[in-house]
Amino acid sequence: MPGHFEPLPGGGAAVALDDVEISIIRSLAVQLLELIGPGPAEEPTDDPLAELFADGPSEPPSDPVLRRLFPDAYSDPEGTAGPRQAEEQRASSAEFRRYTENDLRAGKRDNALAVIRSLDALSPAGDAGAVLRLSPGASQQWLRTLNDLRLAIGSRLEITDEDDSDLLYHLPDEDPRKPMVMAYLWLGGLQETLVGTLMP
């Protein structure tokens, strides 16, 4: 079990984590929370319907990591759209973002908080660290947060395709990106084994 998730009887997943691994995941999840930022101001309202339809931002985030976590819903990655079509895509993306980004941010915050709380609740199990046991629902939250962490780190490392990932394996040890690369690859392994445990 060390270093990878295994299925639990009846659903869910388990993984053995040592103190360093727990500290790394927790630190990254806290940084993710800080990056996503707090939710809208919590002001009590008598109109729950108005609260449900509160407007979010209409412009993409300026931070490249946040742009990766909250991409435009309509875009032209190939760059083949004409000026009019590109403008329509920008307008559609702005409208979509306005009504969805607040909820997306709240969901990512909830997932990251669930990861932090599950790590904080772990009891040490000797030299092996601790065994994290997750329910099916908590496994999904972990999976989403691991994905967000990899997207965030991948964005900082400027990974845009599989070829970029392959280059990371050959970085010299003295490269300042090496620790981030190691975290990226390790989280990818965790994510892959967690996906495997959740597949029927």
Side-chain angles (χ1 to χ4, degrees), residues 40-148:
E42 300 279 335
E43 293 181 15
T45 176
D46 293 332
D47 187 356
L49 194 59
E51 199 174 304
L52 183 65
F53 291 103
D55 286 356
S58 58
E59 294 297 317
S62 58
D63 186 298
V65 174
L66 288 174
R67 275 200 308 275
R68 188 88 174 262
L69 292 173
F70 304 102
D72 279 335
Y74 306 95
S75 63
D76 178 29
E78 305 296 324
T80 57
R84 182 171 177 220
Q85 190 178 13
E87 182 55 40
E88 288 172 354
Q89 287 174 343
R90 278 192 292 277
S92 296
S93 289
E95 191 74 358
F96 186 82
R97 183 179 297 280
R98 194 172 133 220
Y99 290 113
T100 61
E101 188 167 314
N102 283 345
D103 287 342
L104 290 173
R105 283 181 182 256
K108 290 183 187 298
R109 274 193 298 273
D110 289 346
N111 292 331
L113 275 170
V115 166
I116 293 167
R117 288 176 180 142
S118 63
L119 291 173
D120 289 347
L122 280 178
S123 301
D127 294 337
V131 176
L132 175 71
R133 290 180 177 81
L134 300 172
S135 68
S139 297
Q140 292 292 340
Q141 289 181 300
W142 263 76
L143 188 58
R144 288 189 283 268
T145 297
L146 287 172
N147 187 60
D148 287 343

Side-chain angles (χ1 to χ4, degrees), residues 24-48:
I24 290 170
I25 297 172
R26 191 184 190 288
S27 173
L28 290 172
V30 167
Q31 290 176 55
L32 180 65
L33 278 176
E34 291 170 353
L35 182 65
I36 293 169
E42 300 279 335
E43 293 181 15
T45 176
D46 293 332
D47 187 356

